[in-house]
Amino acid sequence: MGEFELIRRHFVRPVAAGSAVVLGVGDDCALLRPSPGHELAISTDMLVEGRHFFADVDPAALGHKSLAVNLSDLAAMGARPLGFTLALSLPRADEAWLSAFASGLFALADAHACPLVGGDTTRGPLNICITVFGELRPGQALRRDAGQPGDDLYLSGRTGEARLALAQLRGEPWAPSPVNAEARARLERPTPRLALGQALAGIAHAALDVSDGLIGDLGHVLAASAVGADIELAALPVAPALAALDEAQRLDCLLAGGDDYELLFTAAPGVRDDVMAAARASGTPVTRIGRLTERPVLRLLDADGQPVAQPLLRGFDHFAD
Ligand code: ADP
Ligand code: MG
């Protein structure tokens, strides 16, 4: 099967009427028409075998995740998806693998009305690079530098399960076996929080999606916004699968896990009701987990509001104070 036949068979699909796509796969460029007066939001993420996924991962789950991590970036900006491109490097044209990969990819694309508009296909080590295009109203983007001292700090969903599942799949000694199914689903099929992100545009200040661990990613907001933060550890939602871990390990998953794809965002205390209305309207759990501070350090507070001693926390490069 040649390159063009492979593309035609697996990746060319009719584009739904009413989408922003003027011209999809097949020409030198795709043509998109954003809503009048809107800004484009663009993001790229690459997934490499051995680094971002196991060689034997379910290809349908991989198709889902490849797009999900990109849509998550649009969500974190408050953008609405318009379409995406797919650059694919494949060791061989494996029909069964390709059709499963495409099914996972398109199921998520269809769920968010985000069509595939182009890409590139080449032979090589398995590597998946997606670029997403979205739009939002001028001035409404949820930027990392928009945090204000005194803002509330919120988290969608909960963190840590993907880290647990990864440890279980790798057989790390601390992780109880067997692999927890719910945690594994969080690792392999993350949910991009698109509806929440769009509902927060114009309400929240700063936002990002948590892909490298809550503390590390919060550090990006703090640096960009030149603020600090207090996190109330007791406020962090804890998945049942994490409840059985010892405290240090649980905190490690919650705060430094990675692959969570939850939204971490800030908003003025005056708009708490609006934030919770956005959470309800988007069907997304949201928890207030702390606040931004003038003093540019990150503190973790225990249930009594006292800063937690660092030795309890392992491996936080970004940790201050
Ligand atoms: P060019 O040589 O002009 O780059 P290609 O031969 O690489 O064109 O691709 C032909 C068409 O197929 C283009 O419209 C391109 O966007 C599309 N395409 C190639 N690979 C993919 C893919 N993996 N998914 C979707 N569209 C693809
Ligand atoms: Mg090409």
Side-chain angles (χ1 to χ4, degrees):
M1 181 174 50
E3 177 192 334
F4 296 110
E5 176 59 13
L6 183 156
I7 296 166
R8 193 192 60 74
R9 205 180 288 183
H10 295 287
F11 297 114
V12 179
R13 300 170 74 224
V15 173
S19 79
V21 182
V22 178
L23 186 63
V25 172
D27 212 314
D28 298 312
C29 289
L31 300 175
L32 296 183
R33 185 181 296 142
S35 307
H38 283 55
E39 289 173 353
L40 275 181
I42 302 167
S43 182
T44 295
D45 259 309
M46 182 146 64
L47 281 83
V48 177
E49 181 183 310
R51 167 132 188 88
H52 299 101
F53 57 90
F54 298 115
D56 62 352
V57 72
D58 168 16
L62 184 61
H64 172 101
K65 184 163 180 174
S66 303
L67 182 56
V69 302
N70 280 279
L71 291 176
S72 179
D73 285 316
L74 289 184
M77 216 64 186
R80 181 176 82 89
L82 298 177
F84 70 103
T85 59
L86 168 68
L88 200 54
S89 164
L90 295 168
R92 71 197 76 81
D94 177 337
E95 278 295 299
W97 191 94
L98 276 164
S99 102
F101 175 83
S103 75
L105 181 81
F106 284 120
L108 185 65
D110 292 347
H112 295 290
C114 183
L116 176 61
V117 299
D120 199 21
T121 309
T122 164
R123 195 177 288 271
L126 183 55
N127 188 329
I128 301 151
C129 183
I130 287 181
T131 300
V132 283
F133 303 85
E135 67 175 17
L136 38 72
R137 290 180 196 287
Q140 292 213 333
L142 306 173
R143 297 167 48 140
R144 296 178 180 194
D145 62 5
Q148 299 286 329
D151 274 1
D152 291 322
L153 182 64
Y154 297 90
L155 177 69
S156 72
R158 56 198 189 197
T159 56
E161 286 160 283
R163 175 72 185 95
L164 173 66
L166 183 66
Q168 290 179 321
L169 289 168
R170 281 182 182 157
E172 290 178 26
W174 62 268
S177 53
V179 180
N180 181 276
E182 207 182 345
R184 183 175 188 165
R186 292 297 313 268
L187 175 68
E188 294 184 346
R189 289 180 171 273
T191 304
R193 301 297 197 181
L194 281 159
L196 176 65
Q198 289 165 74
L200 289 171
I203 296 174
H205 286 160
L208 52 53
D209 64 323
V210 179
S211 54
D212 296 329
L214 181 62
I215 294 286
D217 284 328
L218 174 58
H220 299 310
V221 171
L222 302 188
S225 299
V227 294
D230 286 344
I231 293 182
E232 293 162 21
L233 291 180
L236 291 173
V238 179
L242 299 184
L245 301 175
D246 74 59
E247 190 183 10
Q249 206 60 66
R250 183 169 62 248
L251 283 176
D252 195 49
C253 286
L254 290 174
L255 297 171
D259 260 345
D260 299 300
Y261 300 104
E262 294 295 353
L263 297 189
L264 183 63
F265 61 96
T266 82
V271 298
R272 275 181 196 171
D273 291 348
D274 299 314
V275 168
M276 287 310 160
R280 273 194 307 279
S282 62
T284 313
V286 163
T287 309
R288 186 151 52 85
I289 62 166
R291 73 199 60 80
L292 297 187
T293 58
E294 195 114 27
R295 199 162 77 98
V297 295
L298 173 57
R299 299 190 309 168
L300 305 180
L301 307 183
D302 66 18
D304 300 322
Q306 296 305 308
V308 172
Q310 273 207 45
L312 197 58
L313 308 159
R314 300 196 272 266
F316 296 141
D317 294 347
H318 316 267
F319 197 75
D321 205 1

